[in-house]
Structure formats: structure tokens, C-alpha cells
């Protein structure tokens, strides 16, 4: 086996056999799934709370308007005064009292209706009740105008602008955001990986310095080989960990959801829409399904192969750049507490990439900021990945930008690794010095 | 002369600091060569250059007649002064790893490790972690790893630090045995008694310059300053021989002690000619001790450094 191979193997095994690494690897998915299940469970519990609303209907209208739902049920009071109804509502611990007084017309009745509750009524309850009133009022007005329900249905139209690219692909609302989120997810993954495993590389270098094994080793191998082997070995350990996390987390999640009988659909859909909106949209159910199909089609049209390929390119180059900086920092210091001043400048571009990138790519994937950040080598691995799901070439990232950013990244990679290796080579043999940036600059000039 | 290593006019600077200035050394094959000097003189830098850990600004190094090149790393064994092992790695695994880095195959490394573990009586440590071992135990592992690949040139920087006297002796014997098998050895230390015991050649480096080198025997001869230890059984105890001799020579207290009845003195002569002194001594009594004092390596070290510093 080559020396580099030996070093990679040792670094990998040293990392993988480490107790805290093993514990983290197997505990994290359990913790993560536990969190998700807990959130899902709490949401379910929260939703299933049923509210009872008392109705004191003294009017001639709204007699059959209130149909109970899963979350709201109705109780009618009859032949009592408002004051009595209020008392009863409170003593029976109902959620609210809806008072519909007797007035001359439907409009006036609706206007004078009042909802009494202990404190501000829940907005979904309010929405639901308002929906019922709106519907009734609309029907009444239509009748006054002499329009039948059927006639109304034919005129009541929802309109959506069809928009598309010049090539004739149809645009869908929110699809850009969806793409940015997918790309952002990959970008975020890169950032996390760099911060976690870059830190591991750094600590491993510091350990070699403090245990004084470093001089024994570099009398056998070149410092550059050792640095490279360390970076590769540690990242392989990281990839192992991520793979275990993804596989075990998805398996655990599946099992947990199955056991707890939580419907995945309710989780992804979020809050159900208010009844008012539903009432109007009921007729559009077919259209909505069609829309979903379009979204699904668009989802599959996202250039997944391109995303995965560019993820690998940007991941490898970005990680190598950052982890060689981490290795150089580890070599420059004697202990971890001295690393702070050097760590911040590394984290900064990563953070900028995530936050600035996210906002600018969200609003305009081809705006000047988004383009600038996706070309700048220290942020491009993250920001370019946010833009890539929009495709390459026409309508997506211009090919020249993609190529330029990769070329810049490769050049930066070569420059940074060269500089880092120089600092590393000098630093690993320096003890008891608290390095400054000025000092590091001097090291670059040593032969 | 047949040399394992020749370094010619080596200079090395770190920024403003000069670590080595025009240093040349010549290490004969199958010898033990002492590389001496105060802390910070530049010894470690020179050793690192030989190990190709750093490179000289000027000058060149020949290894066994060829210009020093990366493939020579496999034929050099280096035990640095600042040495350690991976704390959480097992002894055997770690030794195998370091041996393989030196270019041994796994099977070969294992066979030789078993031999050495047996030889130094540490066979049962194979599966222990370094953090469970004492410092001296860890040093034994270091020593084995250094010599395992049977290098032509061994470089020991303070090899005995961390060893108790018994084990230090054990390691010294192993070093002598390695020399007997034909290995050339560079030995860097501050412990002059081990220089005295082991080294045939020495070089003294001070403030980045080589100020002295050669065969230890020759250097000693050159540093003799005509000091003699004498012993006389007096004819007449009333005479104080010391004060009589003081008129002609520099007299000091003797460096040895044999018996109370004797006049025992240390005398420095102006030249190597002893006839005059001997003649006068015999007139005061029976000369029972007469020995030229050969300076110790320690004396030479201190003398040369002080002379240089006073320049």
C-alpha cells in the first residue's frame, strides 16, 4: 500500500473507532427522529382539540347553517335570554357563545351577530364562522339579483395567469423557491460538512503536535502527504457517518411513523385551509389535482443528475479548500483555544454564502449578488448549488458562469492547498509559539 | 575516507534567524558520531536537513556517495528528541503503521516487530494502548520503531531521556550491537558521559557554526594542557611540597585521592616536557603516582564554548 493509502487508512480508522464518533453516529438519527416524531405528535394533539360553540339563535335565519366538523361542534340554546345563555356557556365550559339576535333582514341579522368568548377567539374558529356567514350572505344576494346557484357557478371563475419561458415551458408559482430550497439544502449540507469535518482535521493535527508524534512521522513521509491523507481519511469517515445517518434516519422515521400512525401527508401539507376558501375551491378540485400533477412533473424535471454531479464537484473542491485551511490552522497553534482568531474568518464566508445566497437566490437566481457569490470561490460551492436546480444554459445558470466558477474554484484550491501546506510544514515543528498572522506570513517564505 | 554522510557548507536561515552557517560534517561509515552543542545551536536543524524534513538554503548533502534524495528516507532511522506516539492507538498497530511508512511490508514489519518485542521483553504489550504505558515503556517502542527497518544510518537525539538507568544501559548495549552489525550512528546529546562511552567522532556546533570536529581521541590529545596528577611519599614531612612547587608550576588540588600519607597534587606544566618536574619530585620523596590528565569531553565542551563566547 502506498504511504498516502496507509495514512488515509489510519486516519479513517482512528476517526471511526473513536468512541464519541460511534456514539454520535448512532445516537444522532435517534435524536433527530425522536424530535420529528415529537413535533408530529404534538401537532396532532394540538389539532385534535375539539371546541364546542353554543349558539343562541333568536332570528329566523341560519337555522341549518352550522354543521359540526372534527374540531368544532355546536350546541343550540333555545328559549333563554342572552344573559342566561352567557352564564350557561361559562358554567358548561363551552368555548364560545354565538348570539344571533332577531332582526328584520338577513343583512341586519348578520351585522348584529356577536361572538362571546373567554378571551380572543382562535382564528381558525373565527374563519370558519365567518365563512358560514359569507356563504349565506352571498346566496341571499344572488337570489335578490335573480341569479340561481347554477348560474352563479358558471360565472364564478378563478383566474390564473399562464406564464412560461420562451421555449414554451410552463412556469409554476413557487417552483423557483422550491428549486432554491433544494439547492440550498445541498449547500447547507456542504457547509455543515465543512465545519464539522474541517474541525476534526484541525483537532487531529493539533493532537499530532501535542503528542509529539509529528516529527517521527514526517521523517518517513512528506508533510504534504500527511496533510492530504488526513483530510481524505477524515472526510471518508464523514461520508460514512452521513451515509449511516441518512439510511438509519429514514428507516427509523418510517418505522416510527408507522408505529405512531402519523400520516405523512398531514405533516407535509401543513395547516388545513379554512372552510371559506374550501367552499369556493370545491369546484376546482379537479383543477387543483391537475396543478399538483404539474408540480410533480416540474419536480421531476429538475435536473437531478446535474445537481448531483455539481454537488460532487463543489463538495470535493470546497471541502478540500476549507479543510486544508483548517489543517494549516491546526499546525499553527499548540492547542484548541488558540484557534478562535483563525476560525472566524473561515466561518464568515460560509455563513455569508448560506444567508446572503439564500435571500438573493430566492428573489432572483440570476441577480448580480447571486451571480457574484456563485463565482467567488469561497462561497461558490454553496451559492452555485442553490442556482443549479434552475438548470444550466438557457433559462438557468449561463454555462460560462458555471465553467468560470469551477475554474476559479480549482485555481483557488491549488493556491490554498499550496499555501496551507507551507504553513502546515513549518507549523507542525513549532512549539510554544502563539502565532500571529504576521508570523504565518513569514512562514510562507521559509524554504 | 569512506563516509556514510557528507554535509558540505550547509547554511539555513529562518527569517532573520540563522540556524546554520556554513556547517560541514563528514560521518565515516560504521562509526558513532556525536553531534554536540548547547541548546539552540542548530543541531536539530542539521538533523532535520539530513532527514529531509527541511531543506538547506545553501550547501548540499551526500548520502553514501549520492546526493541526498527522497528514496534515502527508507535507509535512515531517526529518533527525534521531541517524540511521542498516538495516545489512543494500540502498541502493535502503531508500530506496524510506522514501520510500513518506512517502506516495510506488513508481513515483514510484523516478523521484525515480534523479534524486537521479544528481545526487549515487551511481547505482552502488543494490544495495549499507548496511554496505558509509562514514559519509559513508550520510549522502548520508539526505539524499536526507529531501528526496525535496519537503516544504514541511525540518528538518535537524546535517546536515553525518559529511561531508568537499567533500561538506559540496555538501550546503550543495543546501540553498540547495531554498530557492530555495521550501522553508522549519529548521536546528539547533552550527556557527556555517554559521549565519552560511545562516540568515536564528535562535532561541536555553537551558535549555528561548527567550531570543532574530529576523532574524539585526537581532540582530546589536542586539548591536553600538560596537567599531571602526581603522588609522592615524602622523605621529610616538614616540607610542604605544594608551596615549593608553586614557585615553578601551576599547582592545584589533585583530582584523585589514594592515601592520607601522600602528597597528592595536580600540576600544570608550561610544555609537555616532564623531565624537569620528575627530577625535582624525586628529591622530595618516592614518586608513586604520575599520570597525565586527559580532558573529558565535558571539559572540552565547556572550554571550547567559553573560549568562543569570550572572543
Amino acid at each position: 500500500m502506498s504511504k498516502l493509502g496507509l495514512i488515509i487508512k489510519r486516519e479513517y480508522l482512528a476517526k471511526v473507532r473513536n468512541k464519541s464518533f460511534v456514539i454520535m453516529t448512532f445516537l444522532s438519527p435517534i435524536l433527530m427522529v425522536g424530535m420529528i416524531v415529537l413535533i408530529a405528535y404534538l401537532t396532532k394533539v394540538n389539532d385534535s382539540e375539539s371546541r364546542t360553540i353554543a349558539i343562541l339563535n333568536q332570528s329566523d335565519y341560519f337555522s341549518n347553517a352550522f354543521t359540526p366538523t372534527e374540531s368544532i361542534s355546536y350546541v343550540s340554546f333555545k328559549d333563554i335570554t342572552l344573559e342566561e345563555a352567557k352564564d350557561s356557556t361559562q358554567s358548561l365550559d363551552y368555548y364560545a357563545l354565538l348570539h344571533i339576535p332577531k332582526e328584520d333582514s338577513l343583512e341586519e341579522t348578520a351585522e348584529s351577530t356577536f361572538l362571546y368568548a373567554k378571551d380572543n377567539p382562535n382564528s381558525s374558529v373565527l374563519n370558519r364562522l365567518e365563512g358560514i356567514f359569507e356563504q349565506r350572505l352571498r346566496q341571499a344576494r344572488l337570489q335578490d339579483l335573480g341569479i340561481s346557484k347554477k348560474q352563479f357557478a358558471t360565472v364564478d371563475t378563478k383566474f390564473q395567469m399562464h406564464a412560461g419561458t420562451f421555449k414554451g415551458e410552463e412556469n409554476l408559482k413557487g417552483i423557483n423557491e422550491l428549486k432554491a430550497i433544494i439547492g440550498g439544502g445541498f449547500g447547507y449540507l456542504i457547509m455543515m460538512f465543512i465545519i464539522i469535518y474541517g474541525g476534526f482535521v484541525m483537532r487531529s493535527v493539533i493532537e499530532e503536535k501535542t503528542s509529539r508524534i509529528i516529527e517521527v512521522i514526517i521523517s518517513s513521509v512528506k508533510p504534504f502527504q500527511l496533510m492530504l491523507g488526513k483530510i481524505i481519511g477524515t472526510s471518508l469517515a464523514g461520508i460514512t457517518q452521513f451515509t449511516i445517518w441518512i439510511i438509519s434516519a429514514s428507516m427509523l422515521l418510517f418505522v416510527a411513523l408507522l408505529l405512531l400512525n402519523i400520516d405523512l401527508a398531514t405533516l407535509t401539507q401543513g395547516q388545513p385551509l379554512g372552510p371559506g376558501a374550501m367552499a369556493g375551491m370545491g369546484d376546482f378540485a379537479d383543477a387543483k389535482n391537475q396543478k399538483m400533477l404539474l408540480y410533480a412533473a416540474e419536480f421531476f424535471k429538475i435536473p437531478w443528475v446535474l445537481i448531483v454531479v455539481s454537488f460532487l464537484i463543489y463538495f470535493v473542491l470546497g471541502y478540500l479548500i476549507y479543510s486544508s485551511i483548517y489543517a494549516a490552522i491546526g499546525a499553527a497553534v499548540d492547542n484548541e483555544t488558540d484557534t478562535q482568531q483563525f476560525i472566524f474568518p473561515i466561518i464568515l464566508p460560509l455563513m455569508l454564502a448560506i444567508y446572503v445566497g439564500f435571500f438573493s437566490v430566492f428573489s432572483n437566481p440570476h441577480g448580480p449578488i447571486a451571480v457574484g457569490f456563485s463565482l467567488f470561490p469561497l462561497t461558490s460551492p454553496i451559492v452555485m448549488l442553490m442556482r443549479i436546480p434552475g438548470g444550466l444554459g438557457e433559462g438557468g445558470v449561463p454555462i460560462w458562469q458555471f465553467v468560470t466558477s469551477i475554474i476559479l474554484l480549482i485555481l483557488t484550491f491549488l493556491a490554498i492547498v499550496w499555501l496551507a501546506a507551507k504553513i502546515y510544514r513549518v507549523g507542525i515543528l513549532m512549539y510554544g509559539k502563539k502565532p500571529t498572522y504576521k508570523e504565518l506570513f513569514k512562514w510562507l517564505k521559509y524554504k | 575516507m569512506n563516509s556514510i554522510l557528507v554535509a558540505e557548507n550547509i547554511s539555513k536561515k529562518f527569517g532573520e534567524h540563522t540556524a546554520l552557517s556554513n556547517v560541514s560534517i563528514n560521518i565515516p561509515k560504521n562509526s558513532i558520531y556525536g553531534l554536540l552543542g548547547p541548546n539552540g545551536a542548530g543541531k536539530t536543524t542539521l538533523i532535520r536537513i539530513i532527514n529531509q524534513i527541511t531543506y538547506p538554503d545553501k550547501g548540499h548533502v551526500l548520502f553514501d556517495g549520492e546526493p541526498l534524495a527522497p528514496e534515502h528516507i527508507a535507509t535512515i532511522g531517526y529518533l527525534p528528541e521531541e517524540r511521542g506516539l498516538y495516545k489512543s492507538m494500540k502498541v502493535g498497530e502503531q508500530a506496524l503503521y510506522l514501520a510500513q511508512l518506512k517502506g516495510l511490508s506488513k508481513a515483514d514489519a510484523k516478523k521484525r516487530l515480534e523479534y524486537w518485542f521479544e528481545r526487549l521483553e515487551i511481547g505482552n504489550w502488543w494490544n495495549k494502548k499507548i496511554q496505558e504505558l509509562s514514559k519509559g515503556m513508550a520510549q522502548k517502542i520508539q526505539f524499536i520503531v526507529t531501528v526496525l527497518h535496519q537503516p544504514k544510518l541511525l540518528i538518535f537525539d537524546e535517546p536515553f531521556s525518559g529511561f531508568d538507568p537499567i533500561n538506559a544501559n540496555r538501550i546503550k548495549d543495543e546501540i553498540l550491537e547495531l554498530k557492530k552489525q555495521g550501522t553508522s550512528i549519529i548521536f546528539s546529546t547533552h550527556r557527556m558521559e555517554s559521549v565519552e562511552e560511545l562516540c568515536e567522532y564528535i562535532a561541536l556546533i555553537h551558535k549555528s557554526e561548527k567550531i570543532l570536529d574530529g576523532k574524539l581521541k585526537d581532540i582530546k590529545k589536542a586539548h591536553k594542557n600538560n596537567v599531571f596528577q602526581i603522588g609522592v611519599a615524602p622523605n621529610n614531612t616538614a616540607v610542604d611540597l605544594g608551596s615549593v612547587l608553586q614557585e615553578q608550576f601551576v599547582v592545584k588540588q589533585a583530582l584523585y585521592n589514594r592515601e592520607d600519607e601522600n602528597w597528592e597534587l595536580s600540576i600544570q606544566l608550561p610544555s609537555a616536557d616532564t623531565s624537569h618536574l620528575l627530577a625535582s619530585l624525586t628529591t622530595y620523596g618516592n614518586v608513586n603516582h604520575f599520570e597525565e590528565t586527559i580532558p573529558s569531553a565535558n571539559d572540552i565542551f565547556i572550554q571550547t564554548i567559553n573560549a568562543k563566547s569570550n572572543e
Side-chain angles (χ1 to χ4, degrees), chain B residues 133-145:
Chain B
L133 304 183
S134 74
K135 192 173 177 207
M137 292 161 124
Q139 300 283 24
K140 269 192 185 176
I141 313 277
Q142 303 263 15
F143 178 82
I144 292 175
V145 169

Side-chain angles (χ1 to χ4, degrees), chain A residues 43-105:
Chain A
T43 318
K44 207 181 170 192
V45 167
N46 204 29
D47 265 1
S48 63
E49 193 196 338
S50 165
R51 300 188 176 93
T52 309
I53 293 176
I55 301 174
L56 179 61
N57 191 352
Q58 295 165 327
S59 73
D60 303 327
Y61 309 100
F62 301 108
S63 42
N64 290 319
F66 303 99
T67 44
T69 65
E70 228 177 280
S71 57
I72 306 177
S73 51
Y74 303 97
V75 184
S76 288
F77 288 141
K78 284 211 171 74
D79 307 325
I80 52 172
T81 65
L82 177 59
E83 291 310 312
E84 286 167 340
K86 280 186 192 169
D87 287 344
S88 311
T89 305
Q90 285 186 49
S91 61
L92 290 168
D93 204 19
Y94 290 147
Y95 183 73
L97 169 67
L98 185 71
H99 178 226
I100 309 174
K102 187 171 173 61
E103 300 286 347
D104 289 341
S105 67

Side-chain angles (χ1 to χ4, degrees), chain A residues 193-268:
Chain A
F193 198 91
I194 286 174
I195 291 181
I196 297 176
Y197 292 94
F200 280 153
V201 169
M202 187 182 74
R203 272 189 288 278
S204 163
V205 174
I206 295 175
E207 190 216 326
E208 275 173 359
K209 261 189 97 171
T210 48
S211 71
R212 299 288 197 260
I213 191 170
I214 190 72
E215 199 163 347
V216 176
I217 291 196
I218 58 165
S219 60
S220 314
V221 300
K222 291 217 172 314
F224 183 69
Q225 280 177 315
L226 181 61
M227 187 175 105
L228 202 63
K230 190 176 283 299
I231 289 172
I232 295 174
T234 308
S235 64
L236 287 180
I239 289 168
T240 309
Q241 191 173 44
F242 267 71
T243 312
I244 293 176
W245 278 352
I246 289 169
I247 292 174
S248 59
S250 38
M251 264 163 40
L252 271 175
L253 195 62
F254 184 71
V255 170
L257 292 177
L258 219 61
L259 285 179
L260 286 173
N261 201 14
I262 294 171
D263 191 2
L264 256 177
T266 61
L267 269 181
T268 45

